[in-house]
Amino acid sequence: MRERMRKPKAIIVGGSIAGISCAKALILAGGDVVVIEKTCGPPTGNPTGAGIALHPLSQKINRAVDQEKNICADFFFIFLHGLIYNTLPVEIVFWGHLYLTFCISHNKSTVNVKAKNLRTDVIIDVVGDLLVAADGSRSSVRRTFLPDSKLRYTCYYAWSGVFDFSESENSETIQGIRKAYPTLGNGVHTDLAPGTHIVLYELMYKRLNWIWYISQPEPELKLARVIKETKEPFLNLIYDCDPLTQVYCDNVVFIRDAAHPITPHCARSTNMAIADAAVLGKCLEKLGEENLHSALEEYQSVRLPVTTKQVLHSRRVGQIKLGLPLPDRVPFDPKTTSPEDCEILKQRSLPFFDDVPATLE
């Protein structure tokens, strides 16, 4: 059984921040949008929200969708997904639909996406002019075009968790943490040691987020699955990908982790998603639907040089922090390194850190 739907302009596979940011940008550009997302509904989320570092472009977009709070800071805690999602027409997101496959018409003027309603098993066909792959670092859409593009294990992984001290504010544990980090709550704290480092920061509602990076060989798959499927704590194997040489093919374009999986050390993933969406929207708005391929070419020419350098820089920062071997320097030792050698570890050393593409000015 199949349902036939009216033709939208763009079909977005993936309803994460990347997908909904792109939906917002394309709607602002005057387009029609459908978002295909396999989860059953919008994330209600932990009341802690999320802590992310936003660059100027992301701050600008956040203020646009959150005019009441008008938050502006280098690092702050926001419910970013909900802020953007709540500005979208509710009917454009097809929750509980699993993307299956797509095909491009012979004249390359349209793209047809098939998805399965996970509640009813009904297969739907969605036809549009553009397919946006926002389906993450293991993007099945990307694999269709670029089967040789593989994820690269970084030689380290991370344990992470959220410590809730709302009912034990005066415990020995939290007192010890506050003594060690007197400015807790005002930013991100990092402790470096040979072969490892820890990142921690305070969230809303008296919770502490911690991430412990450890340099180790890639865990055996079955063990990794057991650990990852355990409710607490959480194991995050860190992967990135060698930069792509193209981020669109025919009527299909890749954004965020589908285009440029990146390690977390420079806090760029969400910023990249927002920048990708904003630039794509402006390129389509400027050149119009009738010049789709020219718009995608311009999007690629703007974003690819930036994301390539940022992916490689973040990879290098991770290798340095974990003391992994590099051909041009001795392994990093936080006990003996000079302040000058630590400059590369600062977020502001990231290429294009404060850059706002001319397309968006």
Side-chain angles (χ1 to χ4, degrees), residues 151-158 213-218 236-241 262-265 314-315 318-319 322 324:
L151 290 179
R152 184 195 68 95
Y153 180 58
T154 59
C155 297
Y156 56 91
Y157 55 82
Y213 294 95
I214 305 169
S215 176
Q216 291 286 341
E218 187 171 11
N236 183 18
L237 306 182
I238 309 299
Y239 295 89
D240 67 5
C241 182
I262 188 172
T263 63
H265 303 288
S314 187
R315 174 186 295 183
Q319 290 170 326
L322 273 299
L324 298 175

Side-chain angles (χ1 to χ4, degrees), residues 157-161 210-214 227 232-236:
Y157 55 82
W159 292 99
S160 63
W210 58 268
I211 309 167
W212 181 18
Y213 294 95
I214 305 169
I227 297 172
E232 292 181 334
F234 181 75
L235 176 67
N236 183 18

Side-chain angles (χ1 to χ4, degrees), residues 78-96:
I78 55 175
F79 305 93
L80 186 56
H81 189 282
L83 287 175
I84 301 174
Y85 173 70
N86 290 336
T87 69
L88 300 175
V90 294
E91 68 273 10
I92 72 168
V93 184
F94 286 75
W95 298 106

Side-chain angles (χ1 to χ4, degrees), residues 22-329:
C22 193
K24 180 69 176 179
L26 295 182
I27 289 173
L28 291 174
D32 295 323
V33 175
V34 163
V35 180
I36 305 295
E37 170 54 44
K38 65 182 178 181
T39 57
C40 61
T44 54
N46 187 305
T48 59
I52 59 175
L54 295 187
H55 70 358
L57 172 61
S58 301
Q59 293 177 25
K60 178 181 178 182
I61 293 175
N62 180 58
R63 290 195 296 272
V65 298
D66 188 24
Q67 297 177 13
E68 181 180 346
K69 294 182 180 179
N70 196 27
I71 303 172
C72 181
D74 284 339
F75 185 92
F76 55 89
F77 309 106
I78 55 175
F79 305 93
L80 186 56
H81 189 282
L83 287 175
I84 301 174
Y85 173 70
N86 290 336
T87 69
L88 300 175
V90 294
E91 68 273 10
I92 72 168
V93 184
F94 286 75
W95 298 106
H97 282 72
L98 176 67
Y99 159 80
L100 298 176
T101 187
F102 74 92
C103 64
I104 299 171
S105 62
H106 291 301
N107 63 0
K108 299 186 178 180
S109 61
T110 61
V111 58
N112 182 292
V113 172
K114 294 185 183 299
K116 182 171 74 171
N117 186 319
L118 295 176
R119 294 180 293 275
T120 65
D121 288 335
V122 170
I123 306 297
I124 66 170
D125 296 307
V126 190
V127 180
D129 305 294
L130 174 67
L131 171 59
V132 179
D135 53 340
S137 61
R138 299 182 184 275
S139 170
S140 57
V141 179
R142 183 186 68 224
R143 286 200 303 270
T144 302
F145 288 103
L146 305 170
D148 295 331
S149 175
K150 308 293 185 182
L151 290 179
R152 184 195 68 95
Y153 180 58
T154 59
C155 297
Y156 56 91
Y157 55 82
W159 292 99
S160 63
V162 176
F163 174 56
D164 184 346
F165 59 93
S166 58
E167 297 182 0
S168 56
E169 295 183 54
N170 297 316
S171 70
E172 182 179 349
T173 299
I174 194 61
Q175 286 182 357
I177 289 290
R178 293 202 180 282
K179 183 177 180 181
Y181 306 99
T183 59
L184 189 70
N186 295 322
V188 182
H189 297 272
T190 300
D191 266 350
L192 298 170
T196 185
H197 68 280
I198 295 175
V199 176
L200 71 159
Y201 51 86
E202 189 173 351
L203 297 170
M204 299 169 63
Y205 307 113
K206 304 187 185 305
R207 288 168 168 83
L208 186 71
N209 192 68
W210 58 268
I211 309 167
W212 181 18
Y213 294 95
I214 305 169
S215 176
Q216 291 286 341
E218 187 171 11
E220 195 275 329
L221 181 60
K222 291 181 180 179
L223 175 60
R225 285 181 175 175
V226 170
I227 297 172
K228 289 170 68 175
E229 292 175 15
T230 301
K231 185 176 180 180
E232 292 181 334
F234 181 75
L235 176 67
N236 183 18
L237 306 182
I238 309 299
Y239 295 89
D240 67 5
C241 182
D242 289 338
L244 304 181
T245 58
Q246 60 188 93
V247 290
Y248 83 94
C249 301
D250 296 330
N251 300 50
V252 181
V253 62
F254 317 124
I255 66 171
R256 201 198 184 188
D257 286 348
H260 35 70
I262 188 172
T263 63
H265 303 288
C266 295
R268 287 296 98 181
S269 184
T270 297
N271 291 290
M272 283 177 158
I274 293 172
D276 285 352
V279 171
L280 180 60
K282 284 296 183 182
C283 291
L284 290 170
E285 181 181 24
K286 180 174 71 173
L287 294 171
E289 177 184 340
E290 64 277 9
N291 297 305
L292 176 61
H293 292 137
S294 295
L296 296 182
E297 180 64 32
E298 180 170 340
Y299 163 76
Q300 176 172 278
S301 69
V302 172
R303 292 298 294 149
L304 196 57
V306 175
T307 58
T308 294
K309 288 188 176 182
Q310 291 184 339
V311 165
L312 295 178
H313 180 87
S314 187
R315 174 186 295 183
R316 183 173 174 82
V317 169
Q319 290 170 326
I320 292 172
K321 283 185 174 181
L322 273 299
L324 298 175
L326 288 168
D328 60 342
R329 61 179 296 156

